[in-house]
Amino acid sequence: MPKKVSEMEEGFVMTTPRSSMQTKTGSWRTFKPVIDYSKCISCAICWSYCPEPAIFLKDDKYTVDYEYCKGCGICAAECPVKAITMVREGE
Amino acid sequence: MKTILLSGNTALSYAVKQLDVDVVSAYPITPQTTMVEKLSEYVANGELNAEFIPVESEHSALSSVLGASAAGARVFTSTSSQGLLLMHEIMFIAAGLRLPVVMGVADRAVSAPINIWNDHSDIMAQRDSGWICFFAESAQESYDRTIQAYRIAEDENVHLPVNLNFDGFILTHTYEPVTTLDDDMVLKYAPKKRRRLVLDPSTPMTFGGLGSPEYYFEAKYQAIKALENSLKTIIEADKEYERISGRGYGLYKAYMTDDADTILVSLGSVGGSIRGVVKRMRRDGLKVGALSLKLFRPFPAKELVEALSKTNSVVVLDKASSPGAIGGPLFLEIQASLKSFDVNVPVMDIIAGLGGREIGPDDIRVMFNKGLKVAAEKKVDKILDFVGVYL
């Protein structure tokens, strides 16, 4: 949501931490990573390479947070067992 | 108050010392070098209790003081010419982050050809960076404005960076008696204050965050308005300085303009030479006047228009060019101001003094004669002319 000039701190200084959480970057994505859990060996390489980071361990499974994933494809490139495929959004 | 023999460079250094600046970072470049030398000497011998950060470039010099300023320090840097161009991208950031950085600019030509002498090409290339921009005519004025600059930059209604322009060699290296204020007077006039928004581990804040399309425009609007609104503080700071020191400079110095047929408008040190020529031409019965502008940003359009509205022609002296434009940067500003306030005085532009080409009394006479011709004919033949170039 845009802020009015009067609601903004001087110099666009952000006084509350974690303000980047408010900017959901998922809409930047053209391709989304899809994990095939039949191949996934839970090695955590995607988790450690994700620059966002938008891959988290959830119920013992590595899961992509699509609200923040920008679709860079590094996880798919790094996955040693080719368990991640980049799928065009909308397909 | 004591009077000391100082050059433009050492006058600034002396003021910076008295202002008890916390962090100095600068990279030496002719003709600014002696200023940095003096400051490092003050820090080395303990006269100034500051952190002096030696850097490998001007880009880093401005970046260092910018970071220090964000952490709440009172900072100073200075440069010239190519060094100022290297600072270009950081200048916009200083203004965008609303940091009260103060910088001395020893105005010098820009390459190519390489040239170390004075004109205003370097600072004019920074025109739209969002800084307050002063021009001085003497070492005394450079000293006085430096003290004013901190009061203005750090004023809570301003919080913007300020650059102080003084002509390379003409002012930087010319020694003159400078009347200084006592140290305690300086700090009483421009006291150090803690800003509300500073980098501090106990209250973490983000400086320089991403301003996506949802936020950027508002942040930029805020900085644009801050520069526009700073004029009031600038005027007040000068008045208060005059009260304590007896020296005030105003937004411009007008000389014999009331009944003038033509007024020559200039920036910087050439103003004194122009007034000398006015005096002599007046003896010959020629009604000429001079206006030396002291503040380029925010541009005091309304005040300037009032001063120029009664004359029959205006000649603008630009010591910088804007190749491909109809005139130099100062001309464009003045022409736009007059027309916007419905004042129809014919205006012509003269570019002179580029790369240290001397502007002597004869050159100034030529400029005035062109202005008198425009006044008599009530029209401008040549919008942009050059004086002092061998064709």
Side-chain angles (χ1 to χ4, degrees), chain A residues 3 8-12 14, chain B residues 159 196 205-206 218 222:
Chain A
K3 274 187 187 170
M8 201 173 260
E9 284 289 7
E10 187 181 279
F12 197 51
M14 284 164 247
Chain B
H159 285 170
R196 186 173 59 86
M205 292 185 198
T206 305
E218 285 72 23
Q222 198 193 49

Side-chain angles (χ1 to χ4, degrees), chain A residues 4-91:
Chain A
K4 284 184 184 171
V5 173
S6 56
E7 294 163 354
M8 201 173 260
E9 284 289 7
E10 187 181 279
F12 197 51
V13 170
M14 284 164 247
T15 51
T16 42
R18 298 168 70 88
S19 59
S20 62
M21 298 293 282
Q22 291 161 25
T23 309
K24 299 204 169 150
T25 48
S27 65
W28 299 13
R29 199 169 56 234
T30 310
F31 292 92
K32 68 178 204 180
V34 176
I35 303 175
D36 179 352
Y37 290 104
S38 65
K39 291 185 189 166
C40 177
I41 54 166
S42 295
C43 64
I45 284 182
C46 58
W47 172 85
S48 65
Y49 271 91
C50 177
E52 191 51 32
I55 294 179
F56 298 94
L57 193 59
K58 198 179 165 189
D59 302 331
D60 291 335
K61 279 182 174 175
Y62 286 94
T63 316
V64 180
D65 183 344
Y66 291 114
E67 286 201 324
Y68 294 99
C69 168
K70 293 169 181 164
C72 69
I74 291 174
C75 54
E78 295 297 333
C79 179
V81 293
K82 307 282 172 227
I84 306 176
T85 0
M86 298 302 291
V87 180
R88 186 177 279 274
E89 283 289 341
E91 276 177 12

